[in-house]
Amino acid sequence: TWKQGKDEIVLSGFAWHLPYTWTAEKRAELNQYAWGLGYGRTVEEPDGDTHTVFGFGFLDSHKNAELQVGYAWSTFWGPRDGIQPGLGYTAMIVQRPDIANGIPFPAVLPLFSLRYGQATLVTTYIPNLGGGINNGSVLYVFGRVTIE
């Protein structure tokens, strides 16, 4: 993927803290605008499936830098010249100052995509892993633009 892929710019954008797992007071304190930037390389197979390697950083819910490097795979349906829905996953190494004392840790998350031309809008779900209220359940939205 790194050697044969096309360059991509990753643009980070929005984190929606799902109301059923966050108090209104806590949601008011959190950063929704997860601005950030990254770089990736993507290979598209003849069937439309994609393989991506990436690295990027963005502002997390507490306005701290979150860094990630990883791999993503997605499959898409429909004609390539139209809007294509897609599903996939990402496996990555994540570094956040508020988790594991800032020590990088692995994560695997689902990906839900809409692709049109060279642009892909991607959403992932970050679950609450038994941490109770105010500890997870976030829909995170970002985009990728392939540079030809």
Side-chain angles (χ1 to χ4, degrees):
T1 300
W2 183 256
K3 290 180 181 178
Q4 297 175 3
K6 294 180 180 176
D7 293 325
E8 286 193 330
I9 300 297
V10 181
L11 302 167
S12 180
F14 189 75
W16 184 46
H17 301 82
L18 300 175
Y20 64 87
T21 61
W22 297 87
T23 63
E25 296 80 18
K26 188 66 173 177
R27 287 180 72 219
E29 295 173 11
L30 297 173
N31 177 38
Q32 300 180 82
Y33 304 105
W35 303 123
L37 187 64
Y39 173 76
R41 306 245 325 145
T42 293
V43 169
E44 184 174 339
E45 295 179 5
D47 64 3
D49 292 357
T50 60
H51 302 271
T52 303
V53 291
F54 63 87
F56 75 109
F58 60 93
L59 294 178
D60 70 12
S61 299
H62 308 287
K63 295 187 180 177
N64 296 316
E66 178 170 329
L67 305 174
Q68 302 179 352
V69 295
Y71 166 82
W73 174 87
S74 291
T75 190
F76 292 88
W77 295 275
R80 186 65 175 96
D81 61 349
I83 296 175
Q84 296 179 283
L87 289 175
Y89 70 91
T90 184
M92 60 192 160
I93 302 295
V94 179
Q95 188 280 327
R96 289 179 58 131
D98 64 328
I99 298 176
N101 294 318
I103 297 169
F105 60 93
V108 177
L109 296 171
L111 298 176
F112 313 93
S113 303
L114 286 176
R115 177 170 71 176
Y116 182 75
Q118 304 308 86
T120 306
L121 181 67
V122 185
T123 301
T124 190
Y125 173 69
I126 303 162
N128 176 332
L129 296 175
I133 296 296
N134 294 332
N135 285 299
S137 293
V138 176
L139 287 179
Y140 174 60
V141 180
F142 61 98
R144 297 185 349 227
V145 179
T146 304
I147 302 166
E148 299 253 9

